[in-house]
Amino acid sequence: LVVESGGGLVQAGGSLRLSCAASGSIVSVNAATWYRQAPGKQRELVAAITSADATSYAASAKGRFTISKDNAKKTVYLQMNSLRPEDTAVYLCNVDALDLLTMGWHNYWGRGTQVTVAS
């Protein structure tokens, strides 16, 4: 199970910190990616982090967003600063994680958290 949290309504220029927590039979998170989807638009990649903590960002997020993960907490974060109205979207996380029940690596999606940036 993967659950996002931390979304909400914020004024332009404000900040939010999103969390993506793995639980249940997931024992380890390897790599993770944050995506977002605005109404009427395609899902787009926002930021990604590898098992070695190498990070990459969409051009729109670079310099404003920071992805990180806490392996002990099985949680991935997205710190978003200098938010703009165009950042308004549902933010979803996708993780590659080790499942104790199957002892195999699987890909999981959360259901998303809404971020709304008011101008």
Side-chain angles (χ1 to χ4, degrees), residues 31-54:
T33 305
W34 281 98
Y35 292 85
R36 67 186 181 188
Q37 187 160 20
K41 295 187 177 181
Q42 288 190 332
R43 186 172 296 182
E44 62 175 343
L45 186 150
V46 177
I49 188 165
T50 70
S51 58
D53 288 344

Side-chain angles (χ1 to χ4, degrees), residues 1 12 18 26 30 35 40 44 51 53 55 59 65 71 91 111-112:
L1 183 64
L18 306 184
I26 294 175
N30 189 24
Y35 292 85
E44 62 175 343
S51 58
D53 288 344
T55 59
F65 295 1
N71 293 323
Y91 284 71
R111 292 189 174 185

Side-chain angles (χ1 to χ4, degrees), residues 1-63:
L1 183 64
V2 172
V3 179
E4 302 94 335
S5 63
L9 173 64
V10 65
Q11 293 293 316
S15 298
L16 284 173
R17 188 195 195 200
L18 306 184
S19 297
C20 171
S23 62
S25 59
I26 294 175
V27 295
S28 179
V29 172
N30 189 24
T33 305
W34 281 98
Y35 292 85
R36 67 186 181 188
Q37 187 160 20
K41 295 187 177 181
Q42 288 190 332
R43 186 172 296 182
E44 62 175 343
L45 186 150
V46 177
I49 188 165
T50 70
S51 58
D53 288 344
T55 59
S56 59
Y57 299 89
S60 60
K62 199 170 294 185

Side-chain angles (χ1 to χ4, degrees), residues 57-90:
Y57 299 89
S60 60
K62 199 170 294 185
R64 299 188 299 129
F65 295 1
T66 303
I67 188 171
S68 61
K69 60 182 171 75
D70 185 325
N71 293 323
K73 295 182 178 179
K74 298 180 293 182
T75 300
V76 182
Y77 303 98
L78 184 68
Q79 177 68 43
M80 304 188 296
N81 299 327
S82 302
L83 283 162
R84 306 165 180 166
E86 54 264 40
D87 293 319
T88 296
V90 174

